[in-house]
Amino acid sequence: MRKFIIVAAIIAFGNVVWSAGAQVFKLDNGQTVVIQEVRNNPIVTIDTWIKTGSIDESDANSGVAHFLEHLFFKGTKKHEPGDFDKILETKGAITNAATSKDFTHYYITIPSKYFDLAMDLHADMLLHPMIPRNEMEKERKVVLEEISKDQNSPNKILHENLDSMLYKNHPYKRRVIGRSEVIETITRDQVLDFYNKHYGPSNMVTLVVGDVDTNKAIDRIKEVFNESNKKTEKNIYPKESQLSKQEKKVSYANVQSGYMLIGFRSTSITDKDSYALDVLSTIMGDGRSSILNQTLKEKKRIAFSISAGNSTFKDDGIFYVSANFEPDKCKLVQDAIFDEISKIQKNGVTEEQLNLAKNIIERDTYYSRESVSNISTEIGYTMALTGDIKFYDTYLTNIKNVTKEDVRKAAEKYLGIEKSAVSIVLPEGSEDIPVSIVKKKNDGSANLISKNLQTEKYQLSNGATLLYTQNQANDIIALSISAKGGQLLDKKQGTANLVASAMTKGTNKYSSLEWSQILEDNGIKIAPSVNADTFNITVLTTKDQYDKTLELLDEIVNNAKFDEIEIGKMKSDKLNQIKANKDIPLQRALDEYRYLIFKDSPYTISSKILEKNIPNITRDDMLEYYQNIFSPNNLVISINGNIDKEKTIKELNNIFTKKSEKDIIYQNYAKEISHPDCPRVTTQNMPSTQTAWIILGWQTDGVTNEKDYAALQVIDSLLGSGMSSRLFKALREQQGLAYQLGSGFSPHALRGSFMLYIGTNPETLETSKQGLFEEIKKLKTEYVGDKELKEAKEKLLGNYLIGLETNLDKASNIGGYEVLGLGYEFNDRYENLINSVTDTDIIEVANKYFNDNYILSIVTQ
């Protein structure tokens, strides 16, 4: 289950329960309401959980819960179909829904000033769905497309086969999404019958988490959910017995890698053994230092990736191990997994492994609870499955109380060959079966360059730029470190990519395993990455681990070892991942698009390039890049948190010492970026795919053209952002051509790209392609109405605000603007810049970029 954390005891008082800031109410109509005030950011999540899902279906209506979830957005007596999405998205809301085995939930995250409006719409949607027949027929096509979309995906095959072996009679055996033959014929009366049986107030839990006043919020909820209770169906299903003999299913598909999912029936969410199983799954397969990762991936090199988890449901649970591997190593992987399980059953685990697992669970929980949407999801999941917030409150305490013997007994009780179901997918035709960098230490200082209401900008004495945003809302400290250059500095394309991965594979002081263990043990996250323009390190830590974090940052920046053996493993992993991605139609289409949009230039990093170059990149190539990328004069370090500023300045001056006097000026690389001068079109055939993918795009100017940057952001909001967008309404709602579609604008320092995408039935490929071109034509020839333009801007600005929720979000945001030349203050100018875009700007920018020099990447049967 999810790892929850809470710090206060429960105090019962009348009909209100106080729980670490959360208050639980029971309304007169039987509805449960949970409200938690989180005033760090001006946003709020509204999330109603219905205690029903595929568990309450039969073979005759399999998939009805998921179908009904889609139909809720199709209007009420007060609102026409599409109104909910249109109104909410114009306020910048993120709204969606999800169906599972035990529950269905509907949520809105929105700027808190629109709370009353959002709550009114939310309640109206849940209490008064109309489900018009014509809208139901449109959505029937969408759900059928969703069912057929990539139905041969290895992960779907693995899970469906596993469920069929573990559950013979219990409703958990059924697919949540349902079966196409049922959805094709299910009637409106059958859908409404399911709604009337399960969607009563007493079966609902409504959560409000964020920037609200509790008293005002509960009053508003009572007002809008003013519906008398109705009797809902409560079904109890007998628990199935545990497997006594191993079951196994092997499927063959058009894939290149092998996939394995081993499942064991475990416990429901409320069983005390679930805590020991959570700890066991973390020890076995969570993180690089876990037993299975170290044994199968790092030492034996027989798996590309491997993990373990413990999924808990209301009635039952599944403990699983998942692996991806070369097909000819299938039996080796399976035997090695059961061998490690046997060792734990016999010898148990060490105190060090136990404590590390507990620490990982606690730290992951702490970081996740910075977001109001995460808090809402965690509490909602708990309340829907247990009906009691006490479980949420005491979860970490129970994790801390798990002993080594508890873990060993859980492994003995629930795991083992005879209790396992093994689901495997293999390719058709397979048989079953560095050098230390010398630093110049200094006691450097810093000069204050400028500041605004939130952030201070300093120039460190070593030449680096420091942006410090003090934040006392929590003890989390986030660092976003950006070095100019990124892929532009590659002498062999792909070098920076390898350097980012290799930096975490050991240093002069720590082996690869020791590095993983010390991070996990202290709850510290240090993650190097690279993109077109910058080499980045993101750091997430807490106040009590900050000094240790800076010590580790120093180690990875200056003393990464680049061990030849680790480099070999890493190259193999990357090449295997590239190979695995070829099994995914969308990945194929995207990769070819990435290759063509900036063909033969430093921005061209696609799997095609990496697959060719990785074997030829040497350790010396990587060292040369590593030794020059962190030159302080090209660095921007953005920190959000509550730190000792003077001490931090001193440490950063010592960590980042002069290595190169060369200043990276982006414009000097402009001539290296190719520009399409004709259409670049490619079609790939995958006979097994049930979904054709189309990606259509154009090159644009980069971020420093602020006027066009803003206009393209608004165009993206108009065209393909959410259910109120033009693409959604024209191609999905009106024509039923797609389940997934949208647009995306990706600006870099020198150039950018704007793309449209759609996943459709291969039979409607040409219609869908023409539909994309038609929407572009309208954009170029017809002025956008004032109302539509205003709503697109509000949606864009609302999403922007929600995207700045966490400390790391904020640090990365202003750091990114600063390093690309827009300045950290651009965050303050963003709203005015977006609001300055006119209908004339939209037409001018659309005609400037959306010409005949397009990129078109297609994957179909």
Side-chain angles (χ1 to χ4, degrees):
M1 69 155 286
R2 281 183 170 272
K3 283 74 177 177
F4 302 136
I5 185 171
I6 207 147
V7 294
I10 301 176
I11 305 171
F13 185 78
N15 70 333
V16 180
V17 178
W18 293 81
S19 175
Q23 298 183 46
V24 182
F25 301 81
K26 195 78 167 182
L27 304 189
D28 292 339
N29 63 6
Q31 185 174 353
T32 301
V33 177
V34 182
I35 301 176
Q36 180 159 333
E37 296 183 20
V38 181
R39 298 298 186 100
N40 298 347
N41 296 289
I43 59 178
V44 63
T45 291
I46 300 167
D47 192 357
T48 293
W49 293 63
I50 320 298
K51 298 176 185 178
T52 190
S54 62
I55 190 173
D56 292 319
E57 297 172 350
S58 65
D59 290 339
N61 68 353
S62 176
V64 65
H66 173 253
F67 193 14
L68 177 60
E69 172 221 307
H70 279 244
L71 296 170
F72 266 106
F73 296 89
K74 299 305 175 182
T76 65
K77 290 181 179 179
K78 291 170 58 178
H79 294 95
E80 293 292 322
D83 275 2
F84 294 125
D85 302 309
K86 187 175 182 181
I87 294 169
L88 289 169
E89 288 182 358
T90 60
K91 306 305 179 187
I94 296 173
T95 178
N96 213 330
T99 307
S100 186
K101 294 182 184 296
D102 293 306
F103 57 79
T104 309
H105 76 117
Y106 305 81
Y107 60 91
I108 302 168
T109 299
I110 194 167
S112 52
K113 62 182 178 180
Y114 301 120
F115 170 75
D116 286 350
L117 169 67
M119 183 57 76
D120 179 68
L121 293 169
H122 185 68
D124 187 38
M125 180 184 78
L126 291 173
L127 297 178
H128 311 117
M130 290 293 290
I131 312 183
R133 295 184 188 277
N134 61 326
E135 293 295 330
M136 179 173 170
E137 292 311 308
K138 291 179 186 177
E139 206 61 27
R140 191 193 303 273
K141 295 180 182 178
V142 172
V143 175
L144 288 171
E145 178 66 23
E146 186 180 357
I147 292 172
S148 67
K149 181 176 65 73
D150 296 330
Q151 64 182 3
N152 290 325
S153 127
N155 281 330
K156 289 188 178 181
I157 297 171
L158 284 174
H159 283 277
E160 287 177 21
N161 285 347
L162 187 72
D163 286 347
S164 70
M165 290 184 283
L166 291 176
Y167 302 108
K168 307 297 184 183
N169 302 304
H170 194 282
Y172 286 162
K173 68 182 179 180
R174 299 189 186 94
R175 300 174 64 194
V176 172
I177 199 171
R179 295 182 293 122
S180 57
E181 57 267 31
V182 174
I183 300 302
E184 284 171 350
T185 58
I186 197 167
T187 66
R188 181 173 180 270
D189 287 343
Q190 286 176 290
V191 174
L192 287 173
D193 179 63
F194 188 87
Y195 170 78
N196 290 324
K197 286 180 178 178
H198 301 289
Y199 274 72
S202 62
N203 220 26
M204 296 181 177
V205 179
T206 295
L207 293 101
V208 176
V209 181
D211 181 34
V212 293
D213 177 270
T214 298
N215 293 328
K216 292 180 180 178
I218 191 63
D219 287 344
R220 184 63 175 165
I221 293 169
K222 288 177 180 178
E223 179 183 350
V224 298
F225 277 97
N226 185 21
E227 184 108 340
S228 59
N229 193 15
K230 61 181 179 182
K231 186 177 181 181
T232 55
E233 243 181 39
K234 302 288 185 182
N235 299 315
I236 299 175
Y237 304 99
K239 187 172 182 177
E240 294 191 29
S241 58
Q242 197 174 51
L243 295 180
S244 58
K245 182 180 179 181
Q246 185 184 70
E247 294 198 20
K248 185 176 182 180
K249 284 189 178 182
V250 182
S251 295
Y252 300 92
N254 185 19
V255 298
Q256 298 188 40
S257 298
Y259 303 84
M260 182 182 297
L261 187 64
I262 302 177
F264 310 86
R265 292 271 309 289
S266 62
T267 68
S268 68
I269 189 173
T270 54
D271 192 292
K272 63 181 180 62
D273 286 345
S274 68
Y275 306 109
L277 288 168
D278 282 355
V279 174
L280 175 59
S281 70
T282 304
I283 291 171
M284 286 182 62
D286 189 349
R288 286 183 58 201
S289 62
S290 64
I291 290 173
L292 293 176
N293 189 77
Q294 281 300 307
T295 303
L296 278 77
K297 184 174 184 291
E298 299 294 336
K299 295 178 182 177
K300 295 186 177 182
R301 305 297 295 168
I302 57 175
F304 306 150
S305 62
I306 189 158
S307 61
N310 183 43
S311 295
T312 48
F313 313 132
K314 183 178 180 181
D315 286 358
D316 204 39
I318 299 175
F319 188 102
Y320 65 86
V321 176
S322 175
N324 176 222
F325 48 87
E326 286 282 5
D328 61 358
K329 293 183 171 62
C330 182
K331 188 175 187 305
L332 290 175
V333 170
Q334 179 180 282
D335 291 347
I337 290 170
F338 283 111
D339 185 46
E340 294 305 319
I341 289 172
S342 178
K343 289 177 183 177
I344 294 173
Q345 291 174 322
K346 180 179 179 180
N347 305 319
V349 298
T350 67
E351 195 71 33
E352 181 182 8
Q353 290 171 329
L354 180 72
N355 291 333
L356 175 58
K358 292 179 180 180
N359 188 64
I360 290 172
I361 293 171
E362 181 174 354
R363 292 294 179 169
D364 284 352
T365 300
Y366 185 55
Y367 287 137
S368 74
R369 287 185 54 108
E370 193 184 1
S371 162
V372 296
S373 58
N374 283 353
I375 295 171
S376 174
T377 298
E378 292 168 1
I379 297 178
Y381 178 86
T382 300
M383 294 295 292
L385 268 61
T386 71
D388 189 352
I389 203 168
K390 183 178 180 180
F391 176 84
Y392 175 82
D393 293 353
T394 58
Y395 176 72
L396 271 192
T397 299
N398 286 319
I399 287 293
K400 290 178 180 178
N401 289 336
V402 171
T403 66
K404 292 190 297 180
E405 184 61 13
D406 291 335
V407 173
R408 191 197 65 77
K409 285 182 177 179
E412 190 173 57
K413 181 176 179 181
Y414 297 99
L415 310 189
I417 294 176
E418 69 284 355
K419 301 167 187 171
S420 68
V422 182
S423 178
I424 298 171
V425 175
L426 295 172
E428 294 169 346
S430 298
E431 293 184 7
D432 181 11
I433 39 181
V435 176
S436 175
I437 305 299
V438 178
K439 299 185 296 172
K440 299 177 182 178
K441 296 281 183 178
N442 64 70
D443 294 323
S445 58
N447 293 322
L448 179 64
I449 305 300
S450 62
K451 64 179 180 179
N452 59 19
L453 292 177
Q454 297 85 28
T455 303
E456 298 171 340
K457 177 180 177 178
Y458 293 89
Q459 188 78 36
L460 302 185
S461 59
N462 63 6
T465 297
L466 171 65
L467 304 176
Y468 174 47
T469 306
Q470 187 176 34
N471 184 346
Q472 297 180 334
N474 54 49
D475 285 339
I476 297 172
I477 299 171
L479 291 82
S480 174
I481 302 165
S482 300
K484 291 182 181 179
Q487 294 166 188
L488 292 170
L489 301 185
D490 272 345
K491 292 183 178 179
K492 294 179 182 177
Q493 286 181 298
T495 302
N497 183 289
L498 290 181
V499 169
S501 297
M503 285 173 64
T504 64
K505 303 295 185 182
T507 70
N508 288 352
K509 186 175 181 179
Y510 303 103
S511 69
S512 179
L513 175 58
E514 289 169 342
W515 177 261
S516 300
Q517 288 175 328
I518 197 167
L519 290 180
E520 292 170 353
D521 202 25
N522 291 281
I524 299 167
K525 298 181 184 292
I526 300 178
S529 63
V530 67
N531 60 36
D533 304 303
T534 57
F535 191 98
N536 311 293
I537 301 177
T538 57
V539 181
L540 202 58
T541 188
T542 55
K543 195 170 182 179
D544 60 348
Q545 295 294 337
Y546 185 57
D547 289 346
K548 184 67 176 178
T549 302
L550 291 179
E551 175 191 321
L552 294 173
L553 178 63
D554 186 0
E555 186 70 14
I556 197 173
V557 166
N558 292 295
N559 295 312
K561 192 170 185 179
F562 293 92
D563 179 79
E564 289 279 16
I565 295 176
E566 292 294 339
I567 291 173
K569 293 178 183 178
M570 180 188 63
K571 286 184 176 183
S572 176
D573 289 343
K574 287 185 176 292
L575 292 171
N576 285 325
Q577 185 59 57
I578 290 171
K579 188 176 179 181
N581 284 343
K582 292 178 181 180
D583 294 334
I584 305 171
L586 176 57
Q587 286 295 328
R588 280 200 182 187
L590 280 170
D591 194 63
E592 195 66 17
Y593 172 80
R594 294 189 190 108
Y595 174 73
L596 293 174
I597 191 72
F598 295 114
K599 189 176 180 181
D600 299 325
S601 73
Y603 279 178
T604 312
I605 294 295
S606 66
S607 294
K608 182 182 293 187
I609 298 292
L610 292 176
E611 191 170 32
K612 177 182 176 182
N613 285 3
I614 282 176
N616 302 317
I617 295 172
T618 68
R619 180 176 184 271
D620 288 342
D621 295 328
M622 297 166 65
L623 278 173
E624 181 181 1
Y625 185 97
Y626 172 73
Q627 291 166 349
N628 288 285
I629 190 61
F630 295 116
S631 296
N633 43 309
N634 296 314
L635 281 182
V636 174
I637 305 165
S638 178
I639 302 178
N640 189 294
N642 187 17
I643 62 170
D644 182 330
K645 183 169 59 178
E646 298 306 318
K647 182 177 180 180
T648 297
I649 288 171
K650 180 179 177 180
E651 290 295 330
L652 293 176
N653 270 304
N654 287 336
I655 292 171
F656 298 100
T657 56
K658 286 284 185 181
K659 300 186 181 77
S660 170
E661 297 297 328
K662 180 182 177 182
D663 289 331
I664 302 298
I665 300 171
Y666 285 119
Q667 201 56 40
N668 292 344
Y669 297 85
K671 293 181 179 179
E672 299 182 24
I673 309 300
S674 67
H675 296 223
D677 55 6
C678 64
R680 296 175 179 174
V681 181
T682 180
T683 299
Q684 301 176 74
N685 295 110
M686 291 185 69
S688 64
T689 186
Q690 301 300 308
T691 301
W693 288 96
I694 306 170
I695 300 179
L696 172 66
W698 292 265
Q699 261 197 41
T700 68
D701 281 351
V703 294
T704 53
N705 185 339
E706 292 188 13
K707 183 175 182 294
D708 288 5
Y709 171 82
L712 287 164
Q713 293 259 9
V714 176
I715 289 172
D716 184 26
S717 183
L718 282 166
L719 271 182
S721 177
M723 298 179 183
S724 62
S725 66
R726 290 186 173 189
L727 290 178
F728 187 93
K729 289 189 287 189
L731 301 185
R732 173 169 164 168
E733 281 200 339
Q734 295 175 16
Q735 300 183 58
L737 291 173
Y739 176 69
Q740 283 184 251
L741 79 174
S743 63
F745 174 44
S746 303
H748 306 309
L750 297 170
R751 298 289 288 172
S753 68
F754 191 100
M755 74 171 183
L756 315 180
Y757 65 91
I758 185 169
T760 188
N761 190 300
E763 295 181 0
T764 57
L765 176 66
E766 282 300 317
T767 304
S768 299
K769 183 176 72 175
Q770 292 306 315
L772 296 180
F773 278 109
E774 184 61 32
E775 290 305 316
I776 290 296
K777 181 180 177 181
K778 289 179 185 177
L779 202 66
K780 296 168 68 175
T781 57
E782 300 175 12
Y783 284 99
V784 179
D786 291 343
K787 186 171 184 290
E788 186 183 13
L789 183 58
K790 180 175 181 291
E791 289 173 348
K793 292 176 181 179
E794 288 183 344
K795 174 171 56 173
L796 179 61
L797 293 171
N799 287 337
Y800 183 80
L801 178 64
I802 291 171
L804 296 177
E805 183 176 6
T806 69
N807 295 12
L808 187 56
D809 291 337
K810 295 167 185 172
S812 300
N813 175 264
I814 63 171
Y817 288 145
E818 180 71 24
V819 77
L820 293 178
L822 295 171
Y824 72 97
E825 312 96 329
F826 184 78
N827 185 54
D828 300 329
R829 307 199 311 271
Y830 182 81
E831 182 174 353
N832 289 335
L833 186 64
I834 295 300
N835 282 327
S836 72
V837 175
T838 66
D839 54 355
T840 301
D841 294 332
I842 298 295
I843 283 189
E844 288 179 354
V845 169
N847 280 279
K848 177 178 179 180
Y849 296 113
F850 303 153
N851 50 38
D852 291 336
N853 300 326
Y854 55 81
I855 310 299
L856 182 61
S857 175
I858 296 172
V859 171
T860 188
Q861 289 180 341

